[in-house]
Amino acid sequence: MSPRQSTERASELNAVEFLRWAWRQLTSMRTALLLLLLLAVAAVPGSFIPQRGVDATAVQAYYRDHPDLAPVMEKLGMFSVFSSVWFSAIYLLLMVSLVGCILPRTKVYAQALRARPPRAPRNFSRLPASAQFETDAPVADVMAAGRRALGRARIDVVEDGDGAELRSEKGYLRELGNLVFHVCIVIALIGVAVGALWGYRGNVVVIEGEGFSNTLSQYDEFSSGSLFDAESDLAPWSIQLDDVLTRFYVEGSQRGAPKLFRATGTYRQAGADGEDDFEIEVNHPLSVGGEDVFLVGQGYAPVIRVTDASGDVVFDSPVPFLPADSTYTSTGVVKVPDADGEQLGFQGFFLPTAFSQDPAKPSVSVFPGALNPRIGMNLWTGDLGVNDGVAQSVYSLDTSKMTQVKDGDGNFRVDLGPGEKQALPGGGTIEFVELRQFARFQIGHTPVVWLPLLGVGIGILGLTLSLMVRPRRTWIRARRDGSRTVVEVAALDRVPRDDLPADLDEFLSRLHAGLDDSTESRERP
């Protein structure tokens, strides 16, 4: 029935009949394959559009680079593809379709296993491969030789007067492999769903010389499944980051490309007697407390010291600047909530290898390694909003209630290298004390992560089995005609193939050889 005819028929049904029709359409193999293809297509945006659960910083950069398009993408769920309503709907429909398709097919397959091979058609010549010959062997010997030639096929012999008919069928493993493949798809989908409901993923920036404890308040970004309890399910452990080692290619076509990222330090688990060393590289995570710690990024964290007009230190801390391009031109802010009763905000760039051909133009970074590090920032004064009771990002500065500080006819600008100090308008200083690095870790836990892998692995075996096994029916009909036995042989592939006649010739050779052996045994004294 064509889709158009099916739609026309559906329009003539009452409510109950329509629901039955809709269920049959949903649980058909064609619909399951269509939904599987649709799920694969729906996952494509999640591979090239930044995802908030993976890298929220990249999502912020997308908002900055595409201010008009980003809100539209947000409404469509493109920044959280795999947890969006439309992706979940396709996922659930595929699960229902596969289960509704597998159950009746399993019943049919079980019935086929118990059924006897089908009877032979009356006219063998209408089949794609058939043959006829005569032999002196009796009918019983023909049937016995046929059994031996067919091997492990399911065989049923029916006697009819002075003749007999051998019916055989093989290739039941093809449908079994097909069912195993579809069952394994369901298993893989269940495994992914369990991981999404009971798993979590978080990101955190850790600066050299500092540490991280696996508590919710220390994460920069955190997302979890609806059945995960962050207060009780997070494993108790902590890490101390000692060093971040970075290497970049310095020549050739890959100049500036990352060559090595490595984070080293120590970690401690709850109940452990002491600390253990760790070394994390890209794609070589640390497993601790049943959770995996991946190294997903690196950057620079200049140590900034700010003093007020009285000479008191009001800020002294490393500040992570987030890379914005391949040369590690990075953005960051410094918030000083109390400097002689005034709130200060610095916003600007960090350049690992600053270079400028024209002193009148701003410098740019020409290499991601810290060969000539410099900081350039503007100064704002006013209300930072830190006392409003609303959480703020440490990587952005809200200047809506602040005023930019001027210097003559232009804006006041901080320009510092390591060890350099600059006076601030109205008193006080800002100093670039030293340069540290930070590591961006992605920490996650996915329960039964082995289940989807197991499902995929067994599913591939089932698919291979369904493609390699050839379901075939073979019939041998023998009847006595005087002193001779007339033998008719025919074969039919349930999946048509061009080599069936050649296979029948090979089978006839085995059958003749079996008949010759039977004749020799019967004539031997």
Side-chain angles (χ1 to χ4, degrees):
M1 182 183 298
S2 66
R4 180 179 178 181
Q5 292 174 329
S6 179
T7 304
E8 291 176 352
R9 180 183 175 186
S11 62
E12 301 172 357
L13 304 178
N14 58 38
V16 176
E17 293 172 336
F18 176 79
L19 290 176
R20 291 176 179 172
W21 173 85
W23 175 254
R24 286 195 296 268
Q25 297 300 313
L26 176 62
T27 56
S28 67
M29 183 56 66
R30 181 177 60 184
T31 302
L33 293 175
L34 179 62
L35 288 171
L36 186 61
L37 176 63
L38 188 60
L39 186 71
V41 173
V44 171
S47 63
F48 64 87
I49 297 176
Q51 300 296 293
R52 182 168 283 107
V54 177
D55 191 352
T57 304
V59 176
Q60 295 176 1
Y62 195 94
Y63 264 90
R64 184 175 61 251
D65 299 335
H66 307 86
D68 297 327
L69 180 60
V72 178
M73 302 281 281
E74 184 72 56
K75 292 181 179 180
L76 295 176
M78 290 299 176
F79 298 126
S80 302
V81 169
F82 303 106
S83 60
S84 62
V85 174
W86 50 271
F87 189 87
S88 300
I90 299 173
Y91 195 92
L92 292 175
L93 284 174
L94 176 59
M95 288 277 290
V96 173
S97 179
L98 285 172
V99 173
C101 179
I102 290 170
L103 291 179
R105 290 186 63 176
T106 303
K107 180 180 178 181
V108 171
Y109 179 68
Q111 292 174 346
L113 288 177
R114 295 192 300 267
R116 301 172 66 181
R119 61 180 301 176
R122 179 172 299 180
N123 190 351
F124 280 2
S125 61
R126 294 182 179 179
L127 296 178
S130 62
Q132 180 177 322
F133 65 91
E134 294 183 2
T135 180
D136 293 331
V139 171
D141 287 356
V142 173
M143 295 294 105
R147 284 180 178 273
R148 290 192 297 271
L150 287 169
R152 301 174 63 180
R154 176 176 294 183
I155 297 174
D156 190 14
V157 176
V158 179
E159 297 182 357
D160 183 14
D162 60 350
E165 180 179 281
L166 186 150
R167 309 164 183 173
S168 74
E169 185 170 12
K170 67 177 183 178
Y172 290 93
L173 289 179
R174 179 185 181 90
E175 181 63 14
L176 177 62
N178 199 7
L179 288 173
V180 168
F181 172 70
H182 288 89
V183 168
C184 287
I185 293 179
V186 175
I187 291 175
L189 292 175
I190 291 175
V192 173
V194 170
L197 290 173
W198 278 276
Y200 83 90
R201 178 181 296 170
N203 293 310
V204 61
V205 168
V206 183
I207 301 171
E208 289 176 325
E210 298 185 358
F212 166 79
S213 295
N214 192 32
T215 58
L216 183 60
S217 60
Q218 293 209 7
Y219 280 93
D220 297 328
E221 304 152 9
F222 188 89
S223 61
S224 63
S226 58
L227 299 180
F228 182 86
D229 186 356
E231 298 297 331
S232 60
D233 293 343
L234 286 174
W237 54 266
S238 62
I239 61 174
Q240 179 71 26
L241 181 62
D242 296 335
D243 181 63
V244 177
L245 177 64
T246 59
R247 293 288 185 269
F248 301 93
Y249 290 97
V250 297
E251 58 184 10
S253 59
Q254 296 191 38
R255 184 181 186 275
K259 186 177 183 180
L260 173 66
F261 288 160
R262 178 186 298 157
T264 56
T266 58
Y267 69 94
R268 179 191 293 271
Q269 301 187 63
D273 295 334
E275 297 179 338
D276 295 312
D277 296 332
F278 73 79
E279 184 177 282
I280 307 175
E281 295 184 15
V282 177
N283 297 326
H284 294 81
L286 167 68
S287 295
V288 52
E291 298 159 348
D292 294 322
V293 183
F294 290 88
L295 177 62
V296 296
Q298 169 270 344
Y300 297 98
V303 178
I304 307 295
R305 180 182 297 149
V306 180
T307 62
D308 58 16
S310 303
D312 297 327
V313 177
V314 292
F315 184 90
D316 188 1
S317 177
V319 179
F321 280 67
L322 302 181
D325 59 24
S326 59
T327 63
Y328 276 55
T329 299
S330 307
T331 61
V333 300
V334 178
K335 299 179 182 180
V336 184
D338 188 12
D340 284 337
E342 188 177 31
Q343 294 185 352
L344 306 178
F346 299 86
Q347 184 178 39
F349 296 91
F350 170 80
L351 306 177
T353 304
F355 176 78
S356 178
Q357 291 182 336
D358 187 352
K361 294 182 179 180
S363 299
V364 296
S365 180
V366 295
F367 189 75
L371 302 181
N372 182 30
R374 296 200 70 83
I375 296 175
M377 295 187 294
N378 294 322
L379 174 60
W380 302 73
T381 61
D383 184 7
L384 291 171
V386 295
N387 299 321
D388 295 342
V390 180
Q392 290 188 346
S393 171
V394 297
Y395 305 113
S396 61
L397 180 66
D398 182 6
T399 60
S400 59
K401 299 179 181 179
M402 306 188 77
T403 303
Q404 188 168 4
V405 176
K406 302 294 183 179
D407 183 17
D409 296 333
N411 297 324
F412 173 77
R413 183 170 179 82
V414 175
D415 185 9
L416 295 172
E420 297 179 355
K421 182 186 298 185
Q422 185 173 343
L424 298 176
T429 60
I430 181 171
E431 180 182 357
F432 184 174
V433 180
E434 62 175 339
L435 181 62
R436 298 184 191 175
Q437 296 186 80
F438 70 79
R440 183 195 298 275
F441 294 116
Q442 184 178 94
I443 304 168
H445 171 64
T446 304
V448 295
V449 67
W450 53 267
L451 187 59
L453 298 177
L454 179 65
V456 171
I458 299 179
I460 292 175
L461 294 178
L463 180 62
T464 303
L465 191 66
S466 68
L467 294 176
M468 294 182 63
V469 174
R470 301 174 57 180
R472 175 173 292 176
R473 292 172 178 173
T474 305
W475 297 276
I476 301 176
R477 184 184 293 150
R479 57 181 174 81
R480 293 297 290 179
D481 186 6
S483 62
R484 306 277 288 175
T485 299
V486 179
V487 181
E488 297 176 90
V489 182
L492 175 66
D493 275 345
R494 296 174 63 184
V495 179
R497 296 184 60 161
D498 296 334
D499 57 352
L500 179 59
D503 288 351
L504 182 63
D505 291 340
E506 182 182 348
F507 171 74
L508 288 173
S509 298
R510 297 197 305 271
L511 180 61
H512 283 298
L515 289 173
D516 293 340
D517 293 340
S518 298
T519 302
E520 292 178 3
S521 298
R522 189 173 61 253
E523 292 178 350
R524 186 178 302 121

